[in-house]
């Protein structure tokens, strides 16, 4: 038995990227099972997976004393590559796969205006919160501001501007809190705010931005609305990744640099 365990653990360590895919796949399976069994689908599995990942990163960092979270455990070192810039950017691009500009045009001017304004407002609120808690340099303000937009925009901005891992972690946390809040509150307020038509769902996605939160919230409201909300929410993330580390940072640098 001990020989089998030794061979098994040695194999996991020799093929770290494959081990990382298996590990993350198992975590996703558990998260979606927890979403279905414990929350009846009201809290999306992706949100539970993100929280689980942050908890494991914290435990890994405390256990090893390293700086890469759970990836500092030798057997799971492939997670550092899996979560690195190349595969991260590939994942971001994949969220926009299948989006049709013809469908976006149907949203019209209200959807486009909602998207632009909400991105700017989210970055401004995040930057102001960052300043209020002592992170007053433009890089940190832009990174946390990006996190207030979505948990993807934050780390993309932080990586582009050279923010510290601590600030990037805060930006992800801000985005996760927003995502969970949107997915829980959406079905509760849907009827009161008139979230009953495809057009309203598209505008709502442009305002909220977080794709996972919007998709999960609309799924709990009316599954037919999900594609419309997810469409503009996906563009929101892409627009945020484009604007926050460029124009957003330049504006913050001019004001606080």
């Amino acid at each position: 038995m001990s020989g089998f365990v030794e061979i098994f653990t040695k194999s996991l360590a020799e093929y770290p990227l494959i081990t990382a895919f298996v590990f993350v796949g198992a975590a996703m399976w558990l998260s979606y099972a927890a979403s279905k069994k414990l929350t009846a689908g009201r809290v999306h599995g992706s949100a539970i997976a993100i929280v689980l990942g942050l908890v494991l990163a914290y435990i890994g960092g405390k256990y090893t004393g390293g700086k890469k979270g759970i990836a500092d455990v030798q057997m799971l070192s492939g997670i550092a590559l899996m979560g690195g810039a190349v595969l991260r950017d590939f994942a971001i691009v994949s969220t926009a796969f299948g989006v049709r500009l013809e469908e976006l045009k149907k949203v019209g001017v209200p959807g486009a205006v909602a998207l632009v304004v909400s991105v700017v407002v989210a970055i401004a609120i995040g930057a102001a919160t960052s300043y209020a808690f002592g992170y007053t340099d433009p890089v940190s303000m832009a990174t946390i501001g990006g996190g207030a937009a979505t948990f993807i925009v934050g780390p993309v901005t932080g990586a582009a501007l050279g923010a510290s891992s601590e600030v990037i972690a805060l930006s992800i946390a801000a985005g996760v809190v927003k995502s969970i809040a949107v997915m829980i509150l959406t079905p509760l307020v849907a009827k009161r705010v008139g979230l009953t038509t495809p057009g309203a769902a598209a505008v709502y996605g442009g305002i909220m931005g977080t794709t996972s939160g919007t998709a999960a919230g609309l799924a709990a409201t009316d599954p037919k609305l999900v594609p419309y909300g997810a469409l503009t929410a996906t563009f929101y993330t892409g627009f945020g990744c484009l604007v926050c580390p460029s124009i957003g940072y330049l504006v913050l640098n001019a004001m606080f640099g």
Side-chain angles (χ1 to χ4, degrees):
M1 184 65 181
S2 59
F4 171 77
V5 173
E6 182 179 352
I7 293 173
F8 182 70
T9 54
K10 184 179 179 181
S11 299
L12 294 178
E14 287 182 348
Y15 303 100
L17 185 57
I18 295 176
T19 303
F21 273 102
V22 173
F23 182 80
V24 172
M28 292 296 295
W29 183 82
L30 287 173
S31 299
Y32 276 81
S35 170
K36 183 178 180 180
K37 301 292 184 183
L38 302 180
T39 72
R42 290 190 176 276
V43 178
H44 201 265
S46 60
I48 297 176
I50 292 168
V51 174
L52 178 61
L54 291 174
V55 171
L56 291 175
Y58 175 79
I59 294 173
K62 292 290 290 185
Y63 173 72
T64 63
K67 297 180 179 179
K68 297 180 181 178
I70 197 68
D72 283 317
V73 178
Q74 184 181 2
M75 188 183 301
L76 300 174
S77 60
I79 291 179
L81 175 61
M82 187 179 179
V86 176
L87 290 178
R88 180 204 64 200
D89 293 346
F90 178 77
I92 293 172
V93 172
S94 70
T95 63
F97 182 76
V99 171
R100 301 172 60 184
L101 289 177
E102 295 79 14
E103 295 296 330
L104 183 63
K105 290 177 182 177
K106 293 180 182 178
V107 177
V109 176
V113 172
L115 188 151
V116 174
V117 171
S118 59
V119 168
V120 173
V121 170
I123 294 174
I125 292 175
T129 305
S130 169
Y131 189 89
F133 281 88
Y135 294 92
T136 57
D137 61 286
V139 171
S140 297
M141 293 176 69
T143 302
I144 296 176
T150 77
F151 56 77
I152 291 178
V153 177
V156 168
T157 301
L161 300 178
S164 67
S165 57
E166 176 187 351
V167 170
I168 292 176
L170 287 173
S171 74
I172 295 173
V176 170
V177 170
K178 177 182 177 181
S179 178
I180 294 174
V182 170
M183 70 177 61
I184 293 175
L185 294 177
T186 296
L188 301 179
V189 303
K191 290 185 178 179
R192 296 180 181 178
V193 301
L195 190 54
T196 56
T197 65
V203 174
Y204 185 75
I207 294 175
M208 295 295 106
T210 166
T211 305
S212 58
T214 300
L218 291 177
T221 303
D222 182 354
K224 295 179 180 177
L225 301 178
V226 172
Y228 300 94
L231 179 71
T232 47
T234 300
F235 273 92
Y236 177 107
T237 299
F239 183 68
C241 290
L242 180 66
V243 170
C244 192
S246 54
I247 298 175
Y249 169 72
L250 291 176
V251 171
L252 291 171
N253 190 48
M255 295 175 65
F256 302 97

